[in-house]
Amino acid sequence: MEPDPQEIIDLAVRVVTEAWPQGEVQRHAWFEELGMSPTRAVGSWSQWGGGILGWGDAEICWSREGDVPDAPLRGVGWYLWGGVGTSEARDALVQALTQRLGPVSRREGAGFPWFEWHVGDRIVELGGSSLDPRLQLHIVHLEAEHEGVAHAREVVAAP
């Protein structure tokens, strides 16, 4: 399975625990250091790209606060696998992320259920949508306008 789930976990833990870059130059350097190369704008997320070498057809997106290039980073996300094996991969990621990040919460959504970990001022979300069959992993700043933040109070404990 590409990317390897352990590679995703290691990168997610690093993204959620490291200080996020301030400004465009630092952001590009940080993405390069992490092996990511998001490039083009799409939807409410400011930038998008296909850029993690060896990650198959996974796609990465990121957002910033507003359209000013030096605006603060507000989130990073990945669209991972879809189809056969996705549920098993999700369950393995939930278990491994819980071991690394602590308690998990679960909320229902359209499509897959969503799992959330709160780490400092960031939220890690793992789930999916009926609009896109791929598993999604997002790491967003608590203040970011993102679907997980709006529903955070409705979360129920995961089994």
Side-chain angles (χ1 to χ4, degrees), residues 94-107:
V94 168
Q95 183 176 26
L97 286 169
T98 300
Q99 289 174 350
R100 299 277 298 270
L101 301 177
V104 63
S105 298
R106 177 183 166 142
R107 63 182 161 86

Side-chain angles (χ1 to χ4, degrees), residues 26-27 45 56 61 137 143:
Q26 294 88 350
R27 184 174 53 246
W45 287 82
C61 53
L137 175 65
E143 296 175 0

Side-chain angles (χ1 to χ4, degrees), residues 10 24 95 111 116 155:
D10 292 343
E24 187 173 27
Q95 183 176 26
E116 283 186 358
V155 173

